[in-house]
Amino acid sequence: MTRTEHPATGEHHAVIPLPPATARLITAGGATLALASTFLPWTWTTAFPGNLTVTGYPGGLQLLTLTGALLTLAQLLATAGIPGLRWLNPSHTHTPTLHLTLGTLATTWYTLITIATHLGGLVNLEPGGWIAGAATLLATTGALALPARHTPATDGDDSARTPGRLRTTTEALLHTLRPGQTPLPPPKPLPTWAEILVIAAAFGLGLYVLTYGIATEYGELFTGFLLLTGFTATALATAGLGRRLTTLTRKHRGITLTAALATAVAFPLTQNTDEYTLIIVNILIFSTVALGLNVVVGLAGLLDLGYVAFLGVGAYTAALVSGSTASTLHLHFPFWAAVLTGAAASLVFGVLIGAPTLRLRGDYLAIVTLGFGEIFRIAVGNLNGESGPTLTNGPNGIPNIPDLNLFGYDFGNTHTLAGITLTPFANYYLLMLLFTVLVILIFSRAENSRIGRAWVAIREDETAATAMGINGFRLKLIAFALGATLAGLAGTVQAHVSRTVVPELYVFAGPVPPNSAFLLAAVILGGMGTITGPLLGAALLYLIPAKLQFLQDYQLLAFGIALILLMRFRPEGIIPSRRQQLEFHEDTTAATATTLTKAEA
C-alpha cells in the first residue's frame, strides 16, 4: 500500500497499488454483484424483520444495499465521463465513489451481523447474504485503489488536474471553496427552466428521503437508513453537487423559498395516520427552540445550560390561560392572546434572569443558567398549595389543555379542505410550521442586522468589542431576552400538542427531548450560528431516540461518543457557518491558498 498527496491540502492518503482501469473494474464488478445479491434470499426465516427470504424481489434492508450499489455504479460512470452522467461528479474525484462503497458496505454488513445476532449465528445466512458481504467488500477494495482525482480525457496526467487551471484567480477560489475541498471546473450553463427543475427535484427527493426515514417500521431498517444516508450525503458533498445546488438556490432565491415551503406543507399529505406527523410536530418544536438557543449560543457566544426552562415558562403560561379544567387561574384566552402571554412571560423571565447574571462569563454564566433551569423545575413542582402557593398543581402538572380553536377552526378535529384531509396533528403541524418560519425570519434578520454583527463581535472577543464601543452587557441581555421569547413562543404550541405539562418535561438531561442538554447538542451538532444547522441537529437528536428504542438507556453515552467524534473530525458542525469553518481549519485553508498560488504561478 502506497501513500499519495492530495493536490490541494497536501494530506497523504493510503492507496492500494493497482492500475486505475483495474480498480474501476473491480469496483464496478463488486457493485454489480452486490446489486444482484439483493434478488437472492439472505436468510431462511421470516423471523428477521423485512422478510429477506424471497428470491427475485428485494425487501427491507436489501433495498438499501440495492440503492447503494446503484448509486455507486452511477457515480463510477460519472467519474469515467459517461455522457449524461458527468453532472453527478463535477469535482472529477473518486472520493464520492469511495464514500458510496463504504456506505453500501456498512449497511450490508450491519444487516448480516444483525441477522446472525438475532437468529443465533452465521448459519442462518443464505448464499445471497454471503455474496452481498463479499461483493461490498470487493467494491470497497476497488474504490480504495482508485486515484484521488481523475480527469477522463487525461487519465493519470497530473498537469490536467492542477487546481489552479480551474479558476482564474486565487481570491475567487478561496471565496468558493471550503477548507480541504478541491476547486470545481466552471459549470456548464443550464437553461433557466432546467435550473428551476433541478431545484424542484432536489426538494422532492429530500421530501421522499425524509418520509422514508420517518416511516421505517423497525429499528434495524432505520439504522441501515442512517448509515447509507450519512455516507451518501458525504459523497454528494465531496462530488461538488451540494455546492452547485447552493449556487442555483442563491440565483433563484424566490423559487427556492417557494419550493421549500411547498415541500414542507406537502409533508402531511404523504401520511395516512397521525403517528409520524406527531413526530414531525415535535421535531419542529424542538427545532424552533434550538434556533432560539442558537441566538444565545451561536451568535452571542453565551453558554446557557438552563434554556429549556424558558420553554417551560411559555408552556405553563399557555396552559394556565387556555381554559384547562385543571388551571388554577380559570382563564380562557383566545389562542393569539395565549401565544403573546406565553412569549411575554418568557421575555420577562429572560430579562429578570439575564440582568443580574450576564456580567458573568464562561463557566460562571453556565453554572448560573444551569441553576436557573433547576430552580424552575423545582418551583413548578412545589406550587401545589402545600409546599407553596396554588398555581401549577405541583408534580401533577396541568392536564386537559383544550385543543386550539382559531377563527372557528378546531385543531382537534379532522377537516377536509379542497379534497385534502387534514388530521388533528396535521393541523398542529401546519401551525407549528408557520411558527418555525416566523422564527427563521427573526433569526435571519437579527443575524444580518447591526445588533447581530455586534453579537458576533462579542462572541469572538468581548474585550475587543467593548474597546470598539460596543455595550456588551446590553447586547447580551437583548440576545438572552430574544432567545427566551422564541422558546416561550414554541412552548405555547407544545402545551396544546401534548395536552398536558408536567415539571419532568423541563430538565437539564432526560430520556425525552427537548431538554437543555439535547438543545445544546443540537446546536453544536448542526452548526452554531446557522439556520439549517440547528434544524438538522434537532431533527437527528429527536428522530434517532424515537426510532431506536433500544437507545433509551444509553442515550447520554451514545450522544457523548457522537460529540467526541464530532469535535475530533468536524468541530464546526454538520452545516457550519463560513466564519467558524475557516477558524477551525486555518492550517488547511493556508495550505490550500499556498498550493493554488503556486499553481497559478
Side-chain angles (χ1 to χ4, degrees):
M1 185 176 290
T2 60
R3 301 182 69 83
T4 60
E5 183 176 335
H6 193 283
T9 65
E11 297 177 352
H12 291 272
H13 303 276
V15 177
I16 300 173
L18 285 176
T22 303
R24 285 194 293 271
L25 182 62
I26 293 175
T27 305
T32 304
L33 196 59
L35 187 153
S37 71
T38 61
F39 293 88
L40 298 174
W42 284 13
T43 184
W44 62 274
T45 174
T46 58
F48 187 80
N51 190 9
L52 308 184
T53 66
V54 181
T55 300
Y57 184 79
L61 285 157
Q62 288 176 324
L63 290 174
L64 298 178
T65 298
L66 174 65
T67 303
L70 287 174
L71 291 175
T72 300
L73 289 173
Q75 189 61 238
L76 194 63
L77 293 174
T79 309
I82 301 299
L85 292 177
R86 294 177 183 175
W87 60 273
L88 286 175
N89 192 353
S91 62
H92 300 305
T93 174
H94 284 296
T95 306
T97 306
L98 175 60
H99 286 307
L100 289 171
T101 56
L102 288 172
T104 310
L105 176 74
T107 303
T108 304
W109 280 63
Y110 164 76
T111 305
L112 301 179
I113 294 173
T114 306
I115 290 174
T117 303
H118 281 200
L119 302 181
L122 296 175
V123 70
N124 294 284
L125 293 177
E126 289 291 297
W130 293 102
I131 294 173
T136 53
L137 184 60
L138 180 66
T140 304
T141 303
L144 287 170
L146 291 170
R149 286 183 59 82
H150 170 65
T151 303
T154 56
D155 192 9
D157 183 5
D158 291 337
S159 63
R161 297 186 248 131
T162 303
R165 305 293 183 188
L166 304 178
R167 286 288 189 271
T168 55
T169 64
T170 302
E171 182 179 0
L173 278 165
L174 293 178
H175 179 72
T176 57
L177 292 181
R178 293 180 180 179
Q181 291 181 322
T182 56
L184 300 180
K188 293 182 179 180
L190 293 174
T192 302
W193 64 267
E195 293 178 343
I196 295 175
L197 188 61
V198 169
I199 293 174
F203 279 103
L205 180 61
L207 177 61
Y208 174 79
V209 172
L210 175 64
T211 303
Y212 180 87
I214 291 176
T216 49
E217 298 177 354
Y218 45 93
E220 293 83 359
L221 183 59
F222 182 74
T223 303
F225 168 78
L226 283 182
L227 290 173
L228 184 61
T229 303
F231 279 102
T232 301
T234 305
L236 294 178
T238 54
L241 284 175
R243 283 174 281 168
R244 285 198 171 171
L245 181 61
T246 300
T247 302
L248 292 180
T249 55
R250 289 175 178 172
K251 181 179 179 181
H252 304 283
R253 182 173 179 81
I255 293 174
T256 300
L257 294 177
T258 302
L261 183 60
T263 302
V265 171
F267 173 79
L269 307 181
T270 65
Q271 305 298 310
N272 297 324
T273 65
D274 271 346
E275 179 183 0
Y276 302 123
T277 307
L278 175 59
I279 293 178
I280 290 296
V281 172
N282 287 320
I283 288 176
L284 285 179
I285 294 173
F286 194 5
S287 301
T288 303
V289 181
L291 275 176
L293 180 60
N294 200 24
V295 174
V296 180
V297 177
L299 295 183
L302 306 174
L303 184 56
D304 188 348
L305 297 183
Y307 185 75
V308 75
F310 297 119
L311 175 70
V313 170
Y316 264 95
T317 302
L320 287 170
V321 301
S322 293
S324 169
T325 56
S327 172
T328 57
L329 299 183
H330 305 294
L331 298 175
H332 193 175
F333 288 0
F335 175 64
W336 63 267
V339 169
L340 293 179
T341 304
S346 296
L347 171 63
V348 170
F349 271 87
V351 173
L352 291 178
I353 299 302
T357 61
L358 286 179
R359 299 188 186 278
L360 302 174
R361 297 187 185 182
D363 298 338
Y364 299 101
L365 177 62
I367 293 172
V368 170
T369 55
L370 177 61
F372 164 65
E374 289 301 299
I375 289 172
F376 170 79
R377 181 181 61 83
I378 295 172
V380 295
N382 288 335
L383 297 179
N384 57 357
E386 297 178 3
S387 302
T390 302
L391 184 63
T392 64
N393 298 325
N396 296 325
I398 303 177
N400 304 322
I401 300 173
D403 287 308
L404 292 178
N405 193 304
L406 192 60
F407 304 112
Y409 187 92
D410 191 343
F411 281 65
N413 295 331
T414 300
H415 299 273
T416 301
L417 302 176
I420 300 174
T421 301
L422 296 176
T423 59
F425 284 121
N427 298 326
Y428 283 109
Y429 167 82
L430 295 176
L431 176 66
M432 196 60 225
L433 179 63
L434 179 63
F435 275 69
T436 303
V437 171
L438 176 63
V439 172
I440 289 175
L441 288 175
I442 294 174
F443 182 90
S444 61
R445 294 298 183 184
E447 179 187 16
N448 297 319
S449 67
R450 177 178 59 85
I451 293 178
R453 293 193 294 271
W455 284 337
V456 174
I458 292 173
R459 182 193 69 193
E460 298 299 320
D461 192 329
E462 185 174 352
T463 303
T466 303
M468 296 300 293
I470 294 176
N471 188 333
F473 172 75
R474 181 174 66 87
L475 288 172
K476 288 192 295 184
L477 185 59
I478 292 175
F480 211 74
L482 177 60
T485 304
L486 297 181
L489 199 68
T492 60
V493 180
Q494 186 205 31
H496 289 88
V497 171
S498 61
R499 299 180 63 87
T500 184
V501 290
V502 291
E504 288 74 15
L505 292 176
Y506 310 104
V507 297
F508 171 71
V512 180
N515 52 63
S516 293
F518 275 45
L519 290 169
L520 186 60
V523 174
I524 297 174
L525 175 67
M528 293 188 296
T530 64
I531 294 176
T532 53
L535 294 178
L536 177 60
L540 289 176
L541 292 183
Y542 188 92
L543 191 58
I544 291 175
K547 303 298 291 186
L548 302 179
Q549 297 297 327
F550 66 89
L551 278 180
Q552 291 294 335
D553 297 331
Y554 305 99
Q555 282 191 43
L556 294 180
L557 174 63
F559 290 135
I561 295 174
L563 288 176
I564 291 173
L565 294 176
L566 185 72
M567 292 299 100
R568 170 59 183 86
F569 297 104
R570 197 172 178 83
E572 68 273 22
I574 299 176
I575 306 179
S577 66
R578 177 67 175 168
R579 179 191 300 272
Q580 289 196 336
Q581 193 172 41
L582 292 174
E583 290 175 355
F584 282 111
H585 297 278
E586 292 180 355
D587 296 338
T588 304
T589 304
T592 303
T594 303
T595 303
L596 296 177
T597 304
K598 291 180 180 179
E600 288 187 350

